[in-house]
Amino acid sequence: MALLTHLLACAFGTGSWVAINGLWVEVPLLVTVLPEQWYLPSYITIIIQMANVGPLFVTLMNRFRPGLLKEVAVIYVIVSVGVMACLLLAFLWNHTALIAGTSHSVPFLILTFFLALVDCTSSVTFLPFMMQLQPQYTTTFFIGEGLSGLIPALIALGQGSGISSCTNISYEVNITTGNETVESTIFQLETHYLPPNFSTLIFFLLMTAMMLTCLLAFFFLTRQPKVWELSQQQLFPSNIVLNSFDQILDEGADSQLGRGCSCPKDPKGPGDILPKKVSYSLTKLTFIYLLITWVSALTNGVLPSVQSYSCLPYGHTTYHLAATLSSMANPLACVVAMFLPSRSLALMGILTTAGTGFGAYNMAIAVMSPCPLLQQSQWGNAIIVLSWVLFTGTLSYVKVMAGVILRSRSRSALVWYGVLEQLGSLLGALLMFPLVNVYGLFKSADYCSLQCPA
């Protein structure tokens, strides 16, 4: 019976962020089809920020109208919405509509909002529910949360990016000289994408199956004996405020994995959820909070918006590897933080500097698009993939370290962690969206028609 409950808790946790994580690792295939093309990551980033109205609403309701929202009912609703959104996305992801004379993937963007709404709201509902069960199942739930980033990345690796080739395309044009019009044929190289190992339809159906598994797991978990009559939601509203501001990793399971690794692994009850309070000077706290804001802005707003410009100039396969492997770097960073925790502020500063350096390289390559450094070299491909993996891994570890430090101080410190994490993410997304989509500071081009200096 205990083993079955562990499996249910793991499956339940896996469904918490799997939809958005799956969406991010599928973006390299989507940008070749959807009309937004290289703009697509910036659209997804800003939509995710908008979806935080969900956890904010639940938080405010629990704060001002406690008991009105029933925890189990809310979870049933959001997971059911997640199942339906994934299912609809499988069949409607490539449908388009005209807005102001321009083609946009309206169904995809709308369904992305609902997926983000589901995953963000899971932060304020899933964990409080798990606190009603036996303490040992909470750890299994966090393992499931980690798998919500790892499993989609592994599926995406199995799916592959599809082989791209340069095809000579002919165009018939009319050239007028004086009173004479001559028909001429122009040949131009364009990138032709062969299909991956299985289609985007199959990928989103697999995500639907995972969300459905989460729903079934929750159904059976509600039949398990509870530890407390009151949920953590009712006991600790400040904890819910923290969770409501947790953000999605854009490129994977960023903040939810950091939260999972920094959470208690064996809570015994209300008094044991946080360790003994540790004092930190105002200067040190300010330093930690500034790092949280900065790291969140980079990982959840700034860099995800330009990943296509940073990777696609090196080819479609490079972009696919950078997206999937950097997504896998999140759970790896969490495992490292679990076995090698650290409270060293100096190490936090060093890792933040290193991660910022990798991010600066990624941004510089995006600015140089479509003709970045080492474009025709295998070294260029390897370096950009490695840079994205190290950028994600180092800064994910920093966020876990910050959570460990602030947990030992107070719950209010954790609340401010969540507030500043969301503030940094929002500022990063708001900064990059106009730069990418309005001012056009980043340039795109067809890989095969590039005319870059050797």
Side-chain angles (χ1 to χ4, degrees):
M1 184 65 181
L3 176 60
L4 176 61
T5 306
H6 277 295
L7 292 176
L8 292 174
C10 184
F12 180 53
T14 301
S16 58
W17 292 86
V18 70
I20 287 299
N21 290 332
L23 194 65
W24 273 118
V25 296
E26 192 70 1
V27 165
L29 292 178
L30 301 178
V31 295
T32 64
V33 179
L34 298 183
E36 288 78 12
Q37 296 185 327
W38 293 29
Y39 292 130
L40 188 62
S42 65
Y43 277 93
I44 295 176
T45 301
I46 201 71
I47 287 173
I48 289 172
Q49 296 302 320
M50 294 167 58
N52 277 284
V53 298
L56 181 61
F57 172 76
V58 173
T59 298
L60 294 177
M61 290 295 294
N62 284 322
R63 174 65 178 86
F64 296 107
R65 299 293 299 273
L68 184 62
L69 289 180
K70 301 301 181 182
E71 192 173 84
V72 171
V74 172
I75 295 176
Y76 270 124
V77 169
I78 64 172
V79 179
S80 298
V81 169
V83 172
M84 290 304 300
C86 281
L87 183 61
L88 290 173
L89 197 61
F91 296 97
L92 301 177
W93 68 273
N94 57 349
H95 286 235
T96 60
L98 289 178
I99 299 180
T102 305
S103 180
H104 286 283
S105 48
V106 176
F108 173 83
L109 297 176
I110 292 175
L111 292 171
T112 294
F113 172 79
F114 281 103
L115 289 180
L117 188 69
V118 169
D119 287 5
C120 289
T121 309
S122 72
S123 296
V124 301
T125 52
F126 281 25
L127 182 59
F129 170 79
M130 287 303 302
M131 298 303 290
Q132 300 180 28
L133 303 179
Q134 295 292 332
Q136 64 267 25
Y137 301 125
T138 305
T139 301
T140 312
F141 170 81
F142 289 133
I143 294 174
E145 272 200 336
L147 292 176
S148 71
L150 182 62
I151 292 177
L154 292 175
I155 294 175
L157 282 178
Q159 182 184 24
S161 61
I163 300 173
S164 60
S165 60
C166 296
T167 305
N168 224 347
I169 305 296
S170 62
Y171 295 94
E172 300 293 335
V173 297
N174 294 324
I175 301 176
T176 302
T177 305
N179 296 326
E180 184 180 358
T181 300
V182 179
E183 189 177 84
S184 179
T185 302
I186 296 177
F187 294 92
Q188 181 178 339
L189 283 176
E190 291 186 358
T191 306
H192 177 67
Y193 297 100
L194 298 179
N197 296 330
F198 54 87
S199 67
T200 300
L201 168 66
I202 299 300
F203 181 88
F204 284 129
L205 286 178
L206 290 174
M207 296 300 102
T208 304
M210 293 185 68
M211 288 299 300
L212 187 59
T213 301
C214 171
L215 181 62
L216 292 174
F218 177 68
F219 172 79
F220 289 109
L221 282 175
T222 56
R223 271 61 184 168
Q224 302 298 310
K226 298 180 180 180
V227 177
W228 306 331
E229 284 299 318
L230 295 176
S231 70
Q232 187 193 32
Q233 206 173 45
Q234 296 162 315
L235 292 171
F236 303 121
S238 62
N239 241 14
I240 301 305
V241 176
L242 163 67
N243 285 331
S244 72
F245 287 106
D246 278 347
Q247 186 27 302
I248 302 171
L249 134 316
D250 36 12
E251 37 334 10
D254 217 354
S255 64
Q256 75 271 19
L257 289 174
R259 184 181 71 248
C261 289
S262 62
C263 279
K265 295 300 181 285
D266 190 25
K268 302 298 182 185
D272 298 322
I273 288 181
L274 293 173
K276 185 177 179 180
K277 183 176 179 179
V278 178
S279 297
Y280 290 92
S281 67
L282 180 60
T283 302
K284 291 182 178 180
L285 283 176
T286 302
F287 174 73
I288 294 172
Y289 286 135
L290 286 176
L291 287 187
I292 291 169
T293 307
W294 174 252
V295 168
S296 299
L298 292 182
T299 57
N300 297 335
V302 176
L303 270 302
S305 300
V306 297
Q307 189 175 31
S308 54
Y309 296 91
S310 180
C311 299
L312 271 177
Y314 293 99
H316 190 231
T317 301
T318 299
Y319 185 17
H320 176 75
L321 289 175
T324 53
L325 295 181
S326 61
S327 180
M328 295 172 69
N330 282 291
L332 177 61
C334 222
V335 171
V336 172
M338 186 182 301
F339 291 101
L340 298 174
S342 174
R343 298 172 184 267
S344 170
L345 296 186
L347 180 58
M348 283 184 65
I350 293 172
L351 290 179
T352 301
T353 302
T356 301
F358 294 125
Y361 178 81
N362 298 338
M363 178 61 72
I365 295 299
V367 171
M368 295 178 190
S369 175
C371 298
L373 296 173
L374 301 173
Q375 187 178 36
Q376 304 301 326
S377 169
Q378 292 298 322
W379 284 104
N381 299 349
I383 290 173
I384 193 63
V385 172
L386 183 62
S387 181
W388 271 100
V389 171
L390 293 177
F391 163 75
T392 305
T394 53
L395 295 189
S396 295
Y397 185 77
V398 169
K399 294 173 76 172
V400 175
M401 292 172 66
V404 169
I405 292 173
L406 294 176
R407 278 184 63 247
S408 64
R409 177 172 172 80
S410 65
R411 292 189 181 92
S412 62
L414 283 175
V415 172
W416 280 107
Y417 176 104
V419 171
L420 293 174
E421 181 183 35
Q422 179 58 19
L423 177 62
S425 304
L426 180 61
L427 291 176
L430 291 178
L431 170 67
M432 295 307 298
F433 189 81
L435 294 180
V436 175
N437 298 279
V438 179
Y439 297 107
L441 297 184
F442 302 88
K443 306 299 181 182
S444 62
D446 187 272
Y447 180 75
C448 290
S449 61
L450 289 176
Q451 295 182 352
C452 298

